[in-house]
Amino acid sequence: MSSEWFTIAWRDDAVVMLDQRRLPAEEHYLELRDVEEIAFAIEDLAIRGAPAIGCAAAMGIARAAVVSPASDAQSLICDLESARERLARTRPTAVNLFWALGRMSEIWNAHEGRNVEALREALIDEAQHIHDEDVRNCRAIGAAGLELVPEGACVLTHCNAGALATAGYGTALGVIRAAHDAGRGIEVLADETRPFLQGARLTAWELQRDRVPITVITDNMAGHLMCTGQVDLVVVGADRIAANGDVANKIGTYALAVLARAHEIPFYVAAPRTTIDLETPDGSAIPIEERGRDEVAILADHALVPAGVPVRHPAFDVTPAHLVSAIVTEAGILQAPFGPAIARQMNSEA
Ligand code: MRU
């Protein structure tokens, strides 16, 4: 991965993140100091992508600890609980958010009654561990997924499941990066991903930076390209994988999975185990975020929809497990039946 840019980083005086709303036109880093700023950055998609949202939330808690005036652990914990509550309201679908908040809560639960400065330090350390573990997980996902990518393949991806959506390297784009770095001679097609255009703006930006051959298509071109033999496999990320293997991901993923099945093209999902939610039995229980009108009805300050005409904006959909060819995690490749395979992998140490 290019070392000239990063998605999110902890600094002594701020959380620094690349403002993804401004890409590809501008590489602008935000310096965020309190939990409200970080929560808004998540809600407004300055940072997005399930693992990156988890990292931002963890750092949001650590910043809440730094800026809190509390002089005893009990008062600090009160402030941390409000921060957790605010961050938990930002986005409902990506389970990594709740996973990261849970990990941060374990730190203060274990520190109750202890020294307030030690608790602050422990929270900062934990947020940095969550970040660093995510980069390691993504690299392991790339290595595990390599065997799924044939020489010279044309790989279609949707949204952005790359370095920008994680602490670094990416999940779906981790598999793509690993295949490119291994000299497989692959080409990548990125769906533009209406309405926020994560594919056109973000996937294209980061793969171009890494010199991976990338071509952008509009979302409605995938069927034609599959039907005419121009796509060899699909690899996408996930926002939440239910215990039975149903996968919530960016709106449009389900349609791609149906198309892939119709054309007998493998459809792979790449995600860290922090995206697997054993508490959610199947996709019907995954909350689907509904976002506001403007992201659909306005593009670059131009109205696309007449005033007064309603729009819908479900930001995610659920791909049923039976349309998924395999799930790649940092612990290896999961095959159907996914329920037992997920349970085994989640209980293993690997
Ligand atoms: O709305 P977004 O941009 O946060 O949605 C992101 C996605 O759907 C990604 O595919 C998913 O989070 C996986 S990121 C590794």
Side-chain angles (χ1 to χ4, degrees):
M1 193 186 114
S2 164
S3 56
E4 299 154 31
W5 62 275
F6 57 88
T7 304
I8 182 165
W10 178 265
R11 301 275 184 263
D12 284 344
D13 60 342
V15 173
V16 182
M17 57 177 78
L18 185 54
D19 187 345
Q20 299 190 27
R21 297 165 301 189
R22 299 205 196 181
L23 288 172
E26 254 181 280
E27 288 171 36
H28 173 78
Y29 287 87
L30 299 167
E31 293 186 6
L32 307 178
R33 293 190 167 74
D34 67 31
V35 71
E36 184 51 42
E37 288 179 329
I38 292 168
F40 182 73
I42 297 171
E43 281 166 348
D44 207 46
L45 309 182
I47 189 159
R48 31 62 52 202
I53 292 170
C55 291
M59 290 187 189
I61 294 287
R63 278 305 303 173
V66 170
V67 301
S68 164
S71 55
D72 63 277
Q74 211 43 51
S75 322
L76 179 59
I77 288 168
C78 256
D79 289 346
L80 296 173
E81 280 168 355
S82 321
R84 176 179 61 188
E85 190 270 328
R86 173 68 185 96
L87 289 159
R89 279 190 283 112
T90 53
R91 298 196 73 192
T93 305
V95 78
N96 304 61
L97 169 68
F98 306 99
W99 171 86
L101 292 174
R103 256 197 56 179
M104 296 302 282
S105 313
E106 281 169 22
I107 299 292
W108 74 75
N109 289 336
H111 270 72
E112 210 156 344
R114 299 218 190 125
N115 176 288
V116 66
E117 283 315 320
L119 176 50
R120 283 193 173 93
E121 285 306 316
L123 289 160
I124 294 168
D125 284 353
E126 188 69 349
Q128 287 174 309
H129 284 147
I130 287 173
H131 176 280
D132 296 350
E133 279 169 27
D134 189 54
V135 179
R136 283 199 296 278
N137 286 341
C138 287
R139 288 195 171 270
I141 288 168
L146 189 54
E147 69 179 74
L148 301 173
V149 186
E151 190 74 34
C154 180
V155 185
L156 175 60
T157 190
H158 188 65
C159 191
N160 172 266
L164 287 166
T166 59
Y169 203 69
T171 57
L173 297 196
V175 174
I176 284 170
R177 280 196 167 89
H180 174 76
D181 292 347
R184 295 274 156 98
I186 59 165
E187 285 174 39
V188 181
L189 289 173
D191 271 353
E192 69 173 347
T193 316
R194 275 278 292 154
F196 193 61
L197 305 176
Q198 289 95 330
R201 296 187 306 104
L202 308 178
T203 293
W205 180 81
E206 66 166 89
L207 290 186
Q208 184 188 48
R209 292 289 289 250
D210 279 3
R211 297 190 160 71
V212 180
I214 172 75
T215 301
V216 172
I217 60 171
T218 61
D219 297 348
N220 52 4
M221 294 174 186
H224 165 70
L225 293 172
M226 287 186 187
C227 180
T228 50
Q230 299 180 69
V231 177
D232 298 303
L233 62 129
V234 179
V235 58
V236 297
D239 286 84
R240 191 185 297 226
I241 300 175
N244 73 339
D246 290 351
V247 175
N249 192 49
K250 179 51 55 190
I251 191 75
T253 303
Y254 168 60
L256 266 190
V258 172
L259 279 173
R261 177 57 54 92
H263 296 95
E264 297 180 2
I265 292 169
F267 180 89
Y268 300 123
V269 174
R273 285 181 293 180
T274 52
T275 303
I276 296 175
D277 179 10
L278 294 178
E279 306 286 301
T280 297
D282 61 51
S284 67
I286 299 177
I288 300 295
E289 178 180 10
E290 289 267 350
R291 292 188 61 86
R293 170 190 175 84
D294 287 358
E295 284 171 14
V296 172
I298 297 173
L299 190 63
D301 290 334
H302 292 285
L304 299 179
V305 180
V309 174
V311 304
R312 285 293 310 274
H313 190 182
F316 298 95
D317 58 28
V318 174
T319 298
H322 69 87
L323 294 178
V324 176
S325 310
I327 299 173
V328 188
T329 76
E330 70 277 20
I333 297 178
L334 297 167
Q335 309 276 2
F338 291 111
I342 287 174
R344 269 195 309 277
Q345 216 190 63
M346 292 299 276
N347 289 325
S348 78
E349 288 300 305

